[in-house]
Amino acid sequence: MSPQDPGFAPAKVNLYLRVTGRRSDGFHLLDSLAVFAGVGDRVSAVEAGRLALALDGPEAGALTAEPDNLVLRAARALAAVAGRPPHAALHLEKHLPVASGIGGGSADAAAALRVLARLWGVETDLDAIAETLGADVPVCIAGRPARMRGVGGLLSPVPPLPPCGLVLANPRLPLATPQVFRARQAGFSAPATFPEGWADAAELAEWLRPLGNDLQDAAIGLCPDVAAVLAALAAQPGCLLVRMSGSGATCFGLFPSPVQAAMAASALPADWWRWGGSLSA
């Protein structure tokens, strides 16, 4: 995440996701390698006499019925910490599909915190506020690869990632995260063991292969189209690994280069949401 572009809200991708336990309050404990793509939403803000949010962009339609999304909640949370009224005119340009397992709402909330902190001149710990807004918001604050553990807020750095191409594809079918967790029937998994690094995309894919996504089978049971997306990605020339991200239904394919990823994305069905480019290092 470039500090010069605090309003960019990139897609968050779980290269692996393991459910390692469950707390007494019902929240699941996770272990995941979260990375970011070169596609995302954009949030901006200007001074105003009240709090308002304008929506546009190709994926904005799914949000128009929501009276209070994460962007507005983030604004109110930051204002409360700063001891000021949450007055700003926010604008969200939506490019990421809603309820799709790539942290769109969380990335939007993180971007709102960053742009409002700059607009209002607030110097505070955004990570602490992020933890109150959702499991994916803390990792989205920094917008760089990290290992997520606990319920999502326990972050640690990871070895440098090699250059990779990434394809994201979604069949335009939303999946609710709580529903996917409820449908999961398997036991718990052990956390991953990280190497010192990976020589190239192929070596990264081989390390990721056995780690899986512990929510993938449950998501396919609820939304069989996820399996079709995985199969379509796997059939693309040069694809090294396919997997679902988060709780779905977005899936990803890992490729040796961004050029191969862009070509693969263009070959997928036009009625899917899809993108191909570079995996952010």
Side-chain angles (χ1 to χ4, degrees), residues 92-248:
L92 171 57
E93 186 180 306
K94 193 70 180 164
H95 294 272
L96 302 178
V98 175
S100 61
I102 50 176
S106 297
D108 296 344
L113 290 175
R114 291 191 299 265
V115 298
L116 288 172
R118 176 175 291 191
L119 177 69
W120 293 338
V122 176
E123 295 184 7
T124 189
D125 182 7
L126 296 182
D127 293 331
I129 301 173
E131 290 181 3
T132 70
L133 296 171
D136 282 342
V137 183
V139 75
C140 290
I141 285 287
R144 56 177 175 264
R147 185 178 190 176
M148 301 171 62
R149 284 179 286 184
V151 296
L154 182 59
L155 305 177
S156 55
V158 298
L161 297 175
C164 295
L166 183 72
V167 174
L168 300 178
N170 182 284
R172 294 197 174 278
L173 295 170
L175 268 175
T177 298
Q179 187 180 13
V180 176
F181 271 100
R182 283 196 298 268
R184 180 180 171 274
Q185 298 179 348
F188 298 125
S189 299
T193 300
F194 276 67
E196 293 184 0
W198 305 274
D200 52 25
E203 189 171 299
L204 174 62
E206 284 306 305
W207 176 77
L208 288 167
R209 199 174 309 282
L211 295 174
N213 179 336
D214 286 351
L215 300 178
Q216 186 168 297
D217 289 344
I220 291 173
L222 294 168
C223 180
D225 287 58
V226 170
V229 176
L230 291 168
L233 284 167
Q236 300 307 311
C239 187
L240 300 170
L241 178 78
V242 297
R243 182 161 294 159
M244 186 181 78
S245 176
S247 57

Side-chain angles (χ1 to χ4, degrees), residues 29-65:
L29 302 174
L30 307 176
D31 176 39
S32 180
L33 171 54
V35 299
F36 293 86
V39 63
D41 301 334
R42 185 165 297 279
V43 179
S44 59
V46 295
E47 292 283 1
R50 62 186 182 91
L51 179 62
L53 174 62
L55 300 167
D56 66 17
E59 300 296 322
L63 291 177
T64 55

